[in-house]
């Protein structure tokens, strides 16, 4: 891994056809937008999310992270860690508009952009459409344009596959750049704690620790039979990831899989009428998002989380896309009626439309030797 990637040069070996992938990740995106738009919040610990007894942090500023605050943390816990924490209600319309600005910048450098969320995306710059000659230089230019046009900072990772590029973008946050060259992937991964691997949550990390796996090197030491015995369908991914291998291509304009909304209630709800009233509000919120995204889908899924955090889901599919809000609401209420009466009060409710009719984009071919290949990773 280069400390100063701008000084590193790499020429493709004939026939290898290695990809040049950039992962761009905005720094504390929602919180940074709020600090940008409200100067009084700059330099202060800021949390985006609800501050009620059931509130959860959507994200928080780096000033708040110094106290141990983090995304998805209950607000009451965050306030205990950082009593001076400032809560701001999310403004998703603003975040979406800024995200569009950023994606327009991406598309000025490559047509192969795969958004993962409002605040991050993969860019395949193998073909070097602008003739810049350097993947790392493209990453630097993208970051500079984002800062100039939005006033926000972004971190970037540059490597020869998606897995490594995403790891690299997190390495020097915030406002950082990291390069992993060909031949360095396995060594880079070997030094990482296992919790840094994407797809391994706290429970997965605990399970691995019990098996003596705490680093990438520990994982690489396990053979595929061991991994299949203990991790089932995840084994092949873990085997490749421990060696820095990822064969996935960047998929341009990755299709949305579902549209939904959920709410955590301030107080648990147990009565049928109150639950139906809450569901009606979620129906409206979800349908507004469906109309805004122009999505059409055939499967409606109701999600409930009970007082003891037990999850319940029910789903129903239709032969044709759901016609309108009335049909969507009718299916949602029918799913709820199937579950009533419930054994415990409900703390969270969500509704989702999936099996969308949007076509999945074809995998864009990656040139084995593009007409203008990058000389720098």
């Amino acid at each position: 891994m280069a400390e100063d990637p701008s000084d590193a040069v790499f020429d493709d070996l004939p026939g290898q056809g290695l990809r040049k992938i950039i992962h761009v990740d905005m720094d504390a995106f929602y919180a940074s937008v709020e600090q940008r738009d409200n100067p009084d919040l700059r330099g202060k610990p800021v949390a985006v999310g609800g501050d009620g007894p059931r509130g959860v942090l959507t994200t928080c500023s780096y000033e708040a992270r110094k106290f141990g605050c983090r995304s998805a943390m209950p607000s009451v816990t965050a306030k205990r860690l950082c009593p001076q924490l400032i809560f701001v209600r999310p403004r998703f319309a603003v975040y979406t508009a800024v995200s569009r600005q950023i994606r327009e910048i991406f598309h000025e450098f490559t047509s192969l952009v795969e958004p993962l969320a409002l605040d991050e995306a993969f860019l395949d710059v193998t073909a070097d459409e602008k003739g810049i000659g350097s993947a790392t230089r493209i990453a630097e230019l993208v970051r500079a344009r984002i800062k100039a046009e939005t006033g926000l900072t972004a971190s970037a990772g540059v490597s020869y596959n998606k897995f490594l590029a995403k790891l690299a973008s997190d390495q020097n946050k915030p406002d950082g750049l990291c390069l992993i060259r060909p031949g360095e992937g396995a060594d880079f991964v070997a030094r990482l704690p296992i919790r840094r691997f994407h797809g391994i949550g706290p429970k997965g990390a605990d399970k691995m620790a019990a098996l003596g796996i705490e680093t990438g090197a520990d994982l690489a030491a396990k053979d595929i039979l061991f991994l299949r015995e203990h991790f089932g369908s995840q084994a092949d991914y873990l085997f490749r990831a421990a060696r820095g291998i990822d064969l996935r291509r960047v998929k341009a304009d990755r299709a949305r899989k579902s549209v939904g909304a959920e709410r955590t209630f301030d107080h648990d709800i147990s009565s049928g009428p109150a639950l139906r009233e809450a569901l009606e509000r979620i129906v409206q919120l979800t349908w507004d998002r469906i109309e805004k995204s122009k999505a059409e889908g055939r499967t409606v899924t109701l999600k409930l989380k009970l007082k003891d955090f037990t999850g319940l889901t029910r789903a129903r599919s239709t032969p044709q896309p759901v016609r309108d809000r009335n049909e969507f609401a009718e299916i949602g209420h029918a799913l709820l009626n199937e579950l009533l009466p419930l054994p415990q009060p409900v703390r969270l409710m969500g509704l989702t439309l999936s099996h969308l009719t949007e076509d999945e984009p074809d995998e864009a071919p990656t040139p084995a030797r593009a007409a203008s290949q990058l000389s720098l990773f």
Side-chain angles (χ1 to χ4, degrees), residues 284-295:
Q284 186 59 53
L285 179 61
T286 307
W287 192 255
D288 287 345
R289 294 181 179 179
I290 291 168
E291 288 190 322
K292 186 174 181 179
S293 64
K294 295 182 172 61

Side-chain angles (χ1 to χ4, degrees), residues 22 34 41 82 126 130 136 140 160 186 255 282 298 310 326 347 360:
I22 302 170
E34 298 301 336
L41 298 177
C82 181
T126 308
K130 293 289 186 179
T136 305
E140 292 171 337
Y160 52 94
I282 295 173
R298 298 187 299 103
T310 300
N326 289 339
R347 59 179 288 116
E360 288 280 0

Side-chain angles (χ1 to χ4, degrees), residues 116-167:
L116 301 180
L118 291 179
D119 60 343
E120 62 173 317
F122 285 114
L123 287 67
D124 186 331
V125 297
T126 308
D128 193 14
E129 297 172 13
K130 293 289 186 179
I132 294 171
S134 161
T136 305
R137 179 61 181 155
I138 292 174
E140 292 171 337
L141 291 171
V142 167
R143 293 174 63 240
R145 285 282 304 279
I146 290 172
K147 182 66 179 295
E149 295 186 21
T150 71
L152 305 172
T153 63
S155 296
V158 184
S159 196
Y160 52 94
N161 66 44
K162 292 167 73 171
F163 175 73
L164 293 174
K166 188 168 172 65
L167 286 175

